[in-house]
Amino acid sequence: WITTLGYPEGVIVGSIVLGNQAAEAPAEWRDRFVQVGLAHVLAASGFHVSVLLGVLAALTRGWRRSLAVLAGAIALMVFVALAGGSPAVLRAALMGVAALIGWASGRSINGLGALSLAVTALLLWQPLWIWDVGFQLSATATFGLLVSAEPIARKLDFLPPIIAESLATTLAATLWTLPIQLFTFYEISPYAIVANLGSSFLVSLITVAGMASAVISAILPVVGGAIAWFFLFYPTRLLLWLVETIAAWPGSRLATGAITVLQVICLYGLFLWAVSYTHLTLPTNREV
């Protein structure tokens, strides 16, 4: 990617596709992504696993189910190896395994159950991972999406469905990760929702095209390089322009000061109370 797209575009694509642990983004760009509320874009997560399995499901349509599941399992192992095996990546991969099990059995998987099982298994293996910020953000964002995205989308039914779903996903993830962001970074990004909505299509395009170009480059380097240039350079350049523009807006970084662990617990308690009080149904059979 660096050879084909140049710097910093190539490194940014590597960070978006494989995570910052596998391809570390330049410090100044990493800071800008954090400043506008897009830090998660540079971290391999459940989104990447969803994209990977979704593309594989489309490519293996018509295959025997056992072969399709085997292809998915191999793809997950390769992705974890390339992305570095961070706690957030392993959490996403375990939920991907749960999705494959459901795919193999022809049944949907309980999303909250799969998340709880993945988090519990990883913390039993490495208890200190509970202090890993990436793991915390990944788990809470996933939980927020499972319990809040669909109910929020229903409340936004006056909007076109694609806008309502995008806004609901952004609001749910931003809301449920806010306490951890305040506790860890001592600041908030007032334009985070705007940044996430504006970048969602670009990030999806870069992720899918990046994965495709990487696979094709391993077989046909010239073709893979051409795909990388055609589908990745200008979307990545546009994404960097968007991040740089929003970071330059007045008040794009608001310092809040440190909050305590007790305040974090109280905030999450308030969120759960709000979900219950407003009678937003917690989905118990949400497909992974």
Side-chain angles (χ1 to χ4, degrees):
W1 288 315
I2 297 177
T3 302
T4 303
L5 302 177
Y7 182 91
E9 289 81 3
V11 182
I12 295 297
V13 169
S15 296
I16 292 174
V17 176
L18 296 176
N20 201 53
Q21 183 172 328
E24 187 172 1
E28 66 272 17
W29 280 109
R30 191 166 63 248
D31 184 63
R32 289 189 186 112
F33 273 80
V34 171
Q35 181 179 342
V36 302
L38 293 176
H40 61 280
V41 170
L42 302 179
S45 63
F47 170 74
H48 297 73
V49 171
S50 298
V51 169
L52 181 62
L53 294 182
V55 170
L56 274 175
L59 293 176
T60 59
R61 186 169 297 165
W63 289 21
R64 287 175 51 190
R65 182 171 295 179
S66 58
L67 290 178
V69 171
L70 178 60
I74 293 173
L76 278 180
M77 289 188 289
V78 171
F79 177 74
V80 170
L82 292 175
S86 67
V89 169
L90 292 176
R91 194 278 311 161
L94 285 179
M95 293 193 70
V97 170
L100 289 176
I101 293 174
W103 190 7
S105 62
R107 297 182 299 176
S108 62
I109 298 298
N110 185 311
L112 290 178
L115 175 62
S116 300
L117 183 61
V119 169
T120 301
L122 289 174
L123 291 181
L124 286 175
W125 182 34
Q126 292 286 354
L128 292 180
W129 277 353
I130 196 172
W131 302 113
D132 183 274
V133 177
F135 181 70
Q136 295 171 0
L137 292 173
S138 174
T140 52
T142 303
F143 180 82
L145 292 174
L146 289 170
V147 303
S148 298
E150 189 175 328
I152 292 175
R154 288 202 299 267
K155 297 295 183 180
L156 299 174
D157 58 2
F158 57 91
L159 295 173
I162 188 171
I163 296 178
E165 291 178 8
S166 297
L167 186 56
T169 298
T170 300
L171 285 171
T174 301
L175 177 67
W176 284 89
T177 56
L178 181 61
I180 294 175
Q181 181 176 339
L182 293 175
F183 180 78
T184 305
F185 302 112
Y186 319 135
E187 63 182 36
I188 58 174
S189 305
Y191 305 123
I193 294 177
V194 174
N196 278 275
L197 287 175
S199 65
S200 59
F201 174 75
L202 292 173
V203 172
S204 299
L205 175 61
I206 292 169
T207 302
V208 174
M211 289 181 177
S213 68
V215 172
I216 295 174
S217 293
I219 305 171
L220 299 170
V222 175
V223 177
I227 291 175
W229 171 259
F230 187 79
F231 288 102
L232 291 173
F233 180 78
Y234 290 106
T236 305
R237 189 64 258 165
L238 182 57
L239 176 64
L240 295 181
W241 173 84
L242 178 67
V243 170
E244 198 168 28
T245 300
I246 296 177
W249 288 356
S252 62
R253 172 172 278 168
L254 297 180
T256 60
I259 66 173
T260 65
V261 174
L262 180 59
Q263 288 173 313
V264 172
I265 294 173
C266 289
L267 283 172
Y268 279 120
L270 181 63
F271 292 168
L272 291 171
W273 172 82
V275 169
S276 301
Y277 181 76
T278 54
H279 304 285
L280 300 180
T281 304
L282 297 180
T284 56
N285 60 347
R286 180 81 175 265
E287 290 186 10
V288 177

